[in-house]
Amino acid sequence: MIDLHCHLLPGVDDGSRSVEQSVGVLREMGRLGVTDVCLTPHVRSSETSRGPNPRHEDAFRALSAKAPASPRLHRGAEVMLDRPLAGDTEATRPFSLGGTRYILVEFPRMVALDTVNNALSRIAETGWVSVLAHPERYTCCSPDAVALWRELGARMQVDATTLLSPQARGHRARELVSLGLADIMAADNHGDKRTIAAGIGFLVEQDGEEQAQLLAVQNPGAILRDEPLVPVPPIKLKQSLMQKIRQLLEGDE
């Protein structure tokens, strides 16, 4: 498994607070079969023109000195698009996923649909490939909207643990996967117990071994190799599981 979204660079954002905390999570990831992890601390687009943050560089050196051999660590960022992403390739490269043309981006949860459309379109025009973090979180997310975002060149990263959530964002995540509109899964771990293995287990229970392989291994690996992604086929979710989730939803009302 390859996880391209986590906040395990210690002490730089709302994720892991220490090297020791990050090392513990990485060891558990390795035990579960995660081979590669991309460290993606929160960064604002307006900050990327300044180059890498010295605090991030210090934190990476400290973590690298004590991290286990597996999973392998890659660099990146989760870029909040508070303004259009700069088209300067060399200035933006340190914030991309593993130094590739793929860049993980996010928006505020209440972002307007037109704002997302315009931002993703502008990124494509600069030659980058945006990987939209957890689209299921955004209130403007719908199958039609995601289909448009993909037409604009963006790729979708669904949070693995959200697939099991009874909340509205869980419904949106499952809908994207069921319709073949998701491209990769990631844990979005913040120094906690969230793991990509949860999404793998969900899909395997749905007889979705092919989808699990594409979302958690093949397509994330293609991103690290800077290669095109393979479309993930739709999957029909079992009614029995959906009934369980619906019962959880009704219990929260």
Side-chain angles (χ1 to χ4, degrees):
M1 295 178 285
I2 298 173
D3 194 337
L4 298 184
H5 182 180
C6 78
H7 296 272
L8 293 177
L9 197 62
V12 301
D13 60 10
D14 60 344
S16 173
R17 305 313 303 161
S18 68
V19 169
E20 292 71 23
Q21 184 178 1
S22 296
V23 168
V25 174
L26 289 169
R27 284 176 176 158
E28 177 63 11
M29 286 181 168
R31 186 188 71 81
L32 292 171
V34 177
T35 61
D36 295 82
V37 168
C38 196
L39 306 170
T40 54
H42 290 293
V43 174
R44 292 187 177 276
S45 180
S46 56
E47 300 170 344
T48 59
S49 60
R50 306 173 195 167
N53 187 320
R55 287 182 60 228
H56 293 187
E57 301 307 298
D58 292 343
F60 181 69
R61 284 191 289 269
L63 178 58
S64 297
K66 295 187 176 182
S70 182
R72 292 180 290 266
L73 301 182
H74 304 269
R75 301 294 300 275
E78 183 180 16
V79 181
M80 173 64 75
L81 294 174
D82 60 331
R83 75 175 191 186
L85 189 68
D88 185 338
T89 302
E90 292 311 310
T92 307
R93 184 74 64 183
F95 303 96
S96 69
L97 294 171
T100 69
R101 62 197 171 108
Y102 292 91
I103 186 161
L104 186 70
V105 300
E106 67 169 340
F107 297 94
R109 296 184 186 228
M110 300 297 289
V111 65
L113 179 59
D114 286 346
T115 299
V116 179
N117 295 347
N118 293 335
L120 296 181
S121 179
R122 293 188 65 171
I123 289 174
E125 291 171 359
T126 67
W128 294 102
V129 179
S130 53
V131 179
L132 182 55
H134 38 61
E136 67 273 9
R137 288 192 187 181
Y138 309 121
T139 55
C140 65
C141 175
S142 69
D144 287 343
V146 171
L148 174 59
W149 299 340
R150 289 169 55 81
E151 287 178 7
L152 294 173
R155 296 295 173 256
M156 302 296 122
Q157 176 260 299
V158 169
D159 279 358
T161 54
T162 305
L163 291 172
L164 299 171
S165 171
Q167 299 176 346
R169 65 184 180 182
H171 169 74
R172 289 193 288 264
R174 291 186 292 274
E175 188 172 38
L176 296 184
V177 170
S178 68
L179 294 173
L181 294 173
D183 296 283
I184 67 170
M185 283 194 305
D188 193 8
N189 185 288
H190 278 62
D192 47 43
K193 295 183 178 181
R194 279 177 278 185
T195 170
I196 195 170
I200 296 288
F202 171 84
L203 289 173
V204 169
E205 186 176 345
Q206 301 296 306
D207 299 324
E209 289 84 356
E210 178 185 5
Q211 288 81 0
Q213 177 74 15
L214 287 167
L215 290 166
V217 181
Q218 186 169 338
N219 278 346
I223 287 177
L224 291 179
R225 296 188 300 271
D226 218 351
E227 298 173 354
L229 307 190
V230 176
V232 180
I235 177 174
K236 185 174 182 179
L237 300 181
K238 295 178 182 177
Q239 187 64 25
S240 59
L241 180 60
M242 298 313 298
Q243 288 173 342
K244 292 179 184 178
I245 293 173
R246 189 173 297 111
Q247 289 170 359
L248 288 172
L249 276 169
E250 292 172 351
D252 288 343
E253 292 177 353

